[in-house]
Amino acid sequence: KNEVEQSPQNLTAQEGEFITINCSYSVGISALHWLQQHPGGGIVSLFMLSSGKKKHGRLIATINIQEKHSSLHITASHPRDSAVYICAVYPFYFGTGTSLTVIP
Amino acid sequence: DTAVSQTPKYLVTQMGNDKSIKCEQNLGHDTMYWYKQDSKKFLKIMFSYNNKELIINETVPNRFSPKSPDKAHLNLHINSLELGDSAVYFCASSPDSNEQFFGPGTRLTVL
């Protein structure tokens, strides 16, 4: 069992839909990260969370430390959001990624 | 002004060859990492160096040897390449344990 589990593994949405990606972890953390990897490969850090909620544009990330669970939400999804989203506890633990495709 | 750079971006080679991937960061960070990403996009740490000293060495074949000539560089040398080494290799640097900056990745294909 992976120390960081993500769901769903694959997600297809219509443009404009609200999207949620979930991450559960079993290790102690000081921070959890959400990463974005576009086709073509580069990894970009979206959020670093140690508590509560953060928002950046249409992206919102939340974390519940007691439940060891985090969610990444995308509001009004757009085809350019199509990417793989990865949650991570540095440096050892990475989720298997959620491949998101947003259809126009 | 690239923060973390890797060369080459693509590397295609035959089984049995020896190859190197270079990584440089201009962020002034003390810690650098190498990660391997398999075909299912799963990232796994390989090595970490702090100020040129090896601090993390996960279960990686001896054919992989990291080298850090200075704290801005962490190169990865791979001997006797095997088909299973085909993957994308990411370098990253970090100012502390809570943040990482990734390089663009090197896609290695072993034929």
Side-chain angles (χ1 to χ4, degrees):
Chain A
K1 186 181 186 298
N2 200 20
E3 288 82 356
V4 177
E5 298 278 357
Q6 273 183 250
S7 63
Q9 202 167 357
N10 297 285
L11 184 53
T12 301
Q14 292 287 335
E15 184 173 356
E17 282 186 13
F18 181 84
I19 287 160
T20 295
I21 300 169
N22 294 302
C23 176
S24 296
Y25 55 92
S26 58
V27 293
I29 69 166
S30 54
L32 181 135
H33 298 258
W34 282 100
L35 311 175
Q36 181 191 56
Q37 186 175 20
H38 276 289
I43 296 174
V44 174
S45 179
L46 295 175
F47 294 104
M48 179 175 77
L49 290 164
S50 52
S51 65
K53 176 178 172 178
K54 286 190 176 179
K55 185 174 191 287
H56 181 71
R58 294 178 295 104
L59 273 58
I60 303 165
T62 64
I63 190 166
N64 185 318
I65 298 293
Q66 285 73 31
E67 294 186 5
K68 295 195 170 185
H69 183 269
S70 178
S71 293
L72 177 68
H73 306 285
I74 305 175
T75 62
S77 58
H78 189 276
R80 65 174 172 264
D81 297 326
S82 297
V84 174
Y85 293 85
I86 302 167
C87 68
V89 178
Y90 292 149
F92 293 103
Y93 307 114
F94 290 81
T96 48
T98 295
S99 180
L100 171 65
T101 303
V102 181
I103 300 169
Chain B
D1 60 346
T2 305
V4 183
S5 60
Q6 290 179 232
T7 54
K9 189 165 173 61
Y10 300 97
L11 186 50
V12 181
T13 189
Q14 298 285 336
M15 258 192 338
N17 284 351
D18 302 340
K19 290 293 177 185
S20 291
I21 306 172
K22 294 187 176 181
C23 178
E24 178 180 1
Q25 55 98 359
N26 62 7
L27 298 166
H29 295 163
D30 286 341
T31 307
M32 296 182 72
Y33 305 83
W34 276 109
Y35 291 94
K36 180 180 181 180
Q37 186 179 45
D38 62 23
S39 57
K40 295 184 179 179
K41 299 289 188 182
F42 187 64
L43 277 158
K44 190 169 180 182
I45 189 168
M46 300 173 71
F47 301 103
S48 176
Y49 269 70
N50 182 276
N51 255 323
K52 304 193 295 173
E53 298 286 330
L54 180 66
I55 57 170
I56 296 172
N57 183 354
E58 289 298 287
T59 308
V60 177
N62 290 339
R63 301 180 293 103
F64 289 79
S65 54
K67 287 195 171 41
S68 182
D70 55 61
K71 76 172 195 177
H73 295 84
L74 181 61
N75 303 323
L76 184 65
H77 189 76
I78 316 169
N79 288 329
S80 304
L81 278 155
E82 300 178 358
L83 293 175
D85 298 333
S86 296
V88 181
Y89 292 84
F90 284 96
C91 175
S93 78
S94 173
D96 54 45
S97 60
N98 279 332
E99 206 169 2
Q100 295 211 3
F101 297 81
F102 288 87
T106 295
R107 182 175 293 276
L108 171 64
T109 303
V110 182
L111 304 174

